[in-house]
Amino acid sequence: MSEPKTIVFFPEAAFGPALNSVAIAQACRARGHRAVFLCDPGFTGVFANYGFEEVPVPMSEPMPPEQMAKYWSDFINGHIPNFRKSPFDQLDNYVKDCWDAIVDTAVWAEKTLPDILAELRPNLICIDNVILFPATKQHGVPWVRIISCSENEIPDPDIPPHLSGCGENDRACFAAFESRFNEVIGPIHGRFNEFLTSCGEAPYPLGQFFEPSPHLNLLLYPKAVRYARSQTLDPARFQYLEGCVRQEEPYTVPRFAEHDGAPLVYVSFGSLGAGDIDLLKRIVAAFAGKPYRVLVNVGDYLDAYDAPPPNVHLADWYPQPSVIPQTDAVIHHGGNNSFTECLYFGKPALIMPYVWDGHDNAIRVAETGHGLAMHRYDWTDEDLLGAIDGLIGDPAMSDRLARTSRQMQEADGPGFAAQLLDGVLRQSR
């Protein structure tokens, strides 16, 4: 163990990256370090709930935290019609709008981030984001990049482009998606390069918004679902964590008025995906009266639901790492937390993606035999229930998941990450 240091964590304002960073910070804290979180003002309270210091970094026009949180909720809900589209057909709308907003956050953050870092005087900065914040690179201490999304966020010619949802060997899909992505994103990328130049940074090649750290890059993607790269990542700079599951309070599954003791299914599309109320209501109706117990995460929209069927339980939040181990199957959107947590606990997943790396994770879970992918809307009740029956009753998949789970749990991703960060701190003395 090195002497106690201040480690700043700066995750994207989304629960996936945020909670993965919490897991690593918990392990760093156990080693005696001071972990401080930089966060979007709309995300304050998330890290304090785990006992960490928080420092807000304005990333947009100043507004109350509640209004900021509502802004992103409205942003997602406004794109719900686009969730029906393929990854390629989302480029002109959701993906373009996201990158435009992401560039805005980097520009705004630079107004205050240098002074915030100067006051905190960190010994190490850990960033889990998809875009460069120049101040973090220029502060004068080592910085580490955390890649909590699909590993194809670090590109390679032989693996699908990030966000594409392409199959592992569909080279025509690779080429078509990358070409259209660069075409759509071109003006936004040009604006970002102007910003980089104004900060004294060299412009990035078209399509690139971040770079690997020269010090250390941590990928959460588990070995069992990893792609075969043409260019092996240098282990001196790139390390895989085999997932990064945080510690949560225990969860007691409620008793159900009907089918108590039946297989348990957990349904969650994340805090933002919970806005797709019609879809979740349709899933609830499909399970009504069927021989399952079902937990459904409805986020901030609990008031939009009538009393659920006797075998269904609704809540605005569940402590996933304490829930998933008790399930028989999980239906989720393919976000990085849900994806890796199902693998970590050896639970089969039915992924119904809607945006971002959910498309990549959905096809990857199916390609590697750890679950199934299903179109988000194009299904019948029989399709949905048949998929769940198939997941629970597949012994080969169960064995595969058990092997993956053992491998991931033995790796202790958070503890390994803390050990690696200690190594960076020692080298920087």
Side-chain angles (χ1 to χ4, degrees):
M1 184 192 303
S2 63
E3 62 181 280
K5 302 289 186 180
T6 296
I7 303 176
V8 162
F9 289 88
F10 191 11
E12 179 184 344
F15 279 96
L19 296 178
N20 286 324
S21 289
V22 163
I24 298 174
Q26 287 173 331
C28 290
R29 181 169 59 188
R31 297 173 79 92
H33 297 301
R34 173 195 179 208
V36 181
F37 277 86
L38 304 183
C39 61
D40 183 283
F43 233 65
T44 54
V46 171
F47 309 106
N49 287 339
Y50 293 91
F52 293 109
E53 298 175 59
E54 295 177 336
V55 179
V57 179
M59 299 190 195
S60 65
E61 291 278 0
M63 63 180 76
E66 300 79 10
Q67 187 178 345
M68 175 56 68
K70 185 177 185 303
Y71 169 84
W72 284 110
S73 177
D74 290 346
F75 177 90
I76 291 293
N77 291 343
H79 276 286
I80 285 177
N82 294 318
F83 296 170
R84 296 178 176 273
K85 299 177 180 178
S86 70
F88 185 92
D89 290 331
Q90 287 180 345
L91 288 173
D92 287 293
N93 39 80
Y94 180 81
V95 173
K96 181 179 69 174
D97 289 353
C98 271
W99 277 114
D100 209 25
I102 291 168
V103 169
D104 285 344
T105 65
V107 173
W108 265 96
E110 199 67 15
K111 299 175 187 292
T112 56
L113 190 52
D115 291 339
I116 290 172
L117 291 173
E119 184 173 344
L120 286 172
R121 301 178 64 187
N123 302 102
L124 180 65
I125 302 170
C126 298
I127 308 135
D128 190 345
N129 213 303
V130 295
I131 196 164
L132 175 68
F133 294 87
T136 59
K137 179 182 175 183
Q138 297 172 357
H139 184 64
V141 301
W143 61 279
V144 172
R145 181 176 175 185
I146 302 172
I147 298 98
S148 62
C149 290
S150 169
E151 70 159 328
N152 59 3
E153 195 175 312
I154 302 296
D156 182 279
D158 279 4
I159 69 175
H162 190 224
L163 314 182
S164 67
C166 295
E168 183 178 19
N169 300 310
D170 192 347
R171 300 305 179 91
C173 182
F174 294 10
F177 185 88
E178 189 166 24
S179 174
R180 183 60 182 153
F181 177 83
N182 287 339
E183 181 181 357
V184 169
I185 223 73
I188 300 168
H189 192 268
R191 181 164 69 89
F192 180 61
N193 270 344
E194 291 176 2
F195 164 66
L196 289 182
T197 301
S198 72
C199 295
E201 291 290 326
Y204 283 158
L206 178 60
Q208 180 180 341
F209 289 89
F210 205 0
E211 64 188 89
S213 166
H215 307 283
L216 180 65
N217 301 272
L218 302 175
L219 297 98
L220 271 68
Y221 227 53
K223 182 177 181 180
V225 295
R226 211 173 294 169
Y227 294 100
R229 291 176 173 268
S230 64
Q231 302 163 7
T232 303
L233 297 175
D234 179 4
R237 293 178 56 215
F238 296 87
Q239 286 284 341
Y240 288 86
L241 300 183
E242 298 294 326
C244 212
V245 178
R246 71 193 182 278
Q247 298 173 16
E248 279 287 0
E249 294 297 320
Y251 178 78
T252 301
V253 177
R255 292 190 61 83
F256 290 80
E258 287 185 6
H259 300 297
D260 202 44
L264 181 65
V265 178
Y266 172 58
V267 183
S268 177
F269 295 142
S271 57
L272 295 178
D276 204 345
I277 296 169
D278 290 343
L279 174 62
L280 284 168
K281 285 184 174 180
R282 187 179 167 201
I283 291 173
V284 168
F287 278 107
K290 301 300 189 296
Y292 294 99
R293 296 170 296 156
V294 188
L295 305 174
V296 185
N297 178 4
V298 298
D300 294 332
Y301 304 92
L302 190 58
D303 291 344
Y305 293 80
D306 296 328
N311 65 323
V312 176
H313 181 269
L314 308 181
D316 57 2
W317 182 82
Y318 292 91
Q320 268 194 195
S322 298
V323 173
I324 290 177
Q326 304 180 69
T327 65
D328 295 281
V330 178
I331 300 174
H332 67 87
H333 60 301
N336 54 53
N337 269 8
S338 300
F339 180 71
T340 57
E341 286 167 7
C342 286
L343 295 172
Y344 184 86
F345 293 113
K347 302 300 179 178
L350 176 63
I351 300 184
M352 305 169 75
Y354 61 104
V355 292
W356 218 246
D357 62 327
H359 296 301
D360 297 326
N361 290 333
I363 194 165
R364 198 65 186 146
V365 81
E367 286 178 334
T368 60
H370 290 84
L372 297 173
M374 180 176 284
H375 191 279
R376 193 165 174 84
Y377 303 99
D378 187 13
W379 51 268
T380 64
D381 290 3
E382 291 74 21
D383 293 333
L384 182 70
L385 297 171
I388 296 299
D389 284 343
L391 289 174
I392 294 175
D394 187 335
M397 182 178 292
S398 179
D399 289 345
R400 188 177 300 110
L401 282 160
R403 290 194 299 271
T404 297
S405 175
R406 284 195 300 272
Q407 179 177 298
M408 293 177 70
Q409 294 193 29
E410 289 171 0
D412 181 20
F416 183 44
Q419 176 186 332
L420 292 168
L421 296 180
D422 266 351
V424 175
L425 287 166
R426 285 193 297 270
Q427 292 171 9
S428 66
R429 286 179 182 174

